Amino acid sequence: MNPEPLLRAVVSAMMLLEDCGPGAIDPDTVTRGLDHLGHDLLDLTGTDRNDFLALVDRMAATENDRRTAQVIRELPLAIGMVGAS
């Protein structure tokens, strides 16, 4: 399985939720949605987690859109998978 489309879908969903104004989606719903996405990704362990982090790095490095690359790069920190360095 090629995991890149799956990660791109997750990033797209997170960007959509973050970009929604309060008139589009209730802010509590946005928070819950982002929390659920992050929680599910935190279930990755061991090799899966390492593979995910490597995929994030690869995707951010090859992304043409600067904002999308930044969101991809910051995803592990945003969900608490890695600590701030």
Side-chain angles (χ1 to χ4, degrees), residues 66-81:
R66 207 181 279 165
R67 181 170 179 268
T68 302
Q70 189 67 27
V71 170
I72 293 169
R73 194 172 289 111
E74 293 174 353
L75 178 63
L77 178 62
I79 64 170
M81 186 176 281

Side-chain angles (χ1 to χ4, degrees), residues 8-29:
R8 188 159 303 283
V10 168
V11 168
S12 294
M14 294 180 95
M15 289 176 69
L16 172 71
L17 288 171
E18 287 183 357
D19 289 344
C20 285
I25 299 177
D26 178 70
D28 290 336
T29 301

Side-chain angles (χ1 to χ4, degrees), residues 30-81:
V30 169
T31 300
R32 279 193 311 277
L34 289 170
D35 287 349
H36 287 292
L37 284 167
H39 176 75
D40 289 340
L41 290 172
L42 287 174
D43 284 341
L44 294 172
T45 59
T47 302
D48 290 337
R49 182 176 285 227
N50 292 336
D51 290 348
F52 174 78
L53 293 172
L55 176 60
V56 166
D57 287 341
R58 278 196 318 273
M59 285 184 65
T62 60
E63 177 57 52
N64 291 326
D65 181 73
R66 207 181 279 165
R67 181 170 179 268
T68 302
Q70 189 67 27
V71 170
I72 293 169
R73 194 172 289 111
E74 293 174 353
L75 178 63
L77 178 62
I79 64 170
M81 186 176 281

